[in-house]
Amino acid sequence: AVKGIDLELAEGELVSLIGANGAGKSTLVGILTGLVKKTEGKVKILGTDIDEFPEESREGLGVVPQELNFNIFEKIENILINQAGYHGIPRSKGIQRAEELLQLLDLWDKRRQEVRYLSGGMKRRLMLARALVHKPRLLLLDEPTVGIDITARKNTWDYLRQLNREGTTILLTSHNLEEVEQLCHSAAMIHKG
């Protein structure tokens, strides 16, 4: 699905990867996250080779995949607190970080609801919050604002800009050219892998 990709992001960049459906964008994200096994080539995340040190290479990585992938019967705040725990963050700090993110992403009033009662856009914002709970240095966003209303999209864009100004490197896949123009320093096109 992907071949001959040579992509290097400088620390602090906000770059978009654009291309038609089936071009290989999500496959590339899958390779970076370890969900797709590459057959050849070299990949480094934050300077660490993913084949030599798979766990270490992904420590500073936050991911918002295209597909929703959490337990819909779990309470929203618990998803973030548990995710913080997966990253070794003590529970008290996880609770604090969850509160911070839920307020920033306008989900605080829903914090004790089960995910299944959220709108599609709210679920997307929860995916972003979960990816950010451990303050990653590199954030991979695979179509992060699909299904988000205009106001929430603008707020999400503002928050991503803020994260980037604070030093988070971001790779964003998108079909939305307005999103690319509004957010990104540069764009890379992928065509037939």
Side-chain angles (χ1 to χ4, degrees):
V2 292
K3 57 186 176 189
I5 292 178
D6 186 3
L7 178 65
E8 187 172 326
L9 275 67
E11 195 168 331
E13 272 193 299
L14 201 165
V15 176
S16 179
L17 188 60
I18 58 176
N21 289 334
K25 300 180 300 295
S26 295
T27 300
L28 179 59
V29 170
I31 290 168
L32 295 171
T33 59
L35 296 174
V36 174
K37 186 169 175 60
K38 65 180 180 57
T39 54
E40 61 184 46
K42 280 260 187 216
V43 177
K44 289 184 179 182
I45 299 174
L46 302 170
T48 304
D49 188 286
I50 67 170
D51 294 323
E52 292 179 35
F53 305 100
E55 291 176 15
E56 294 89 338
S57 70
R58 294 177 180 97
E59 283 177 1
L61 187 63
V63 183
V64 178
Q66 216 173 53
E67 303 296 325
L68 300 176
N69 63 357
F70 35 57
N71 179 352
I72 63 169
F73 299 104
E74 194 169 359
K75 291 184 179 163
I76 293 162
E77 65 184 349
N78 290 346
I79 286 176
L80 299 185
I81 294 165
N82 291 338
Q83 186 72 18
Y86 295 144
H87 289 281
I89 298 169
R91 185 168 175 79
S92 60
K93 289 189 180 187
I95 291 169
Q96 181 181 18
R97 184 71 176 140
E99 179 178 340
E100 176 186 320
L101 288 165
L102 291 172
Q103 290 198 18
L104 279 168
L105 295 169
D106 199 26
L107 292 169
W108 180 249
D109 294 341
K110 309 283 186 189
R111 69 189 177 278
R112 294 200 172 95
Q113 285 187 9
E114 292 179 0
V115 173
R116 64 185 167 145
Y117 296 116
L118 293 180
S119 69
M122 289 177 179
K123 289 175 184 170
R124 296 299 301 170
R125 285 183 280 155
L126 179 58
M127 295 280 286
L128 179 59
R130 187 180 63 181
L132 295 171
V133 78
H134 64 294
K135 298 185 178 181
R137 290 176 48 208
L138 173 61
L139 183 60
L140 301 178
L141 304 168
D142 198 0
E143 303 282 347
T145 57
V146 170
I148 297 180
D149 66 67
I150 294 169
T151 303
R153 182 179 299 146
K154 184 194 176 306
N155 292 341
T156 301
W157 289 355
D158 290 344
Y159 186 57
L160 291 175
R161 282 188 200 100
Q162 176 188 332
L163 281 172
N164 184 245
R165 279 192 302 271
E166 293 169 357
T168 303
T169 304
I170 300 173
L171 178 63
L172 163 84
T173 73
S174 183
H175 290 283
N176 183 334
L177 292 181
E178 179 190 8
E179 184 168 64
V180 173
E181 289 175 349
Q182 292 290 321
L183 284 176
C184 300
H185 303 141
S186 59
M189 182 172 282
I190 184 168
H191 178 70
K192 296 183 180 178

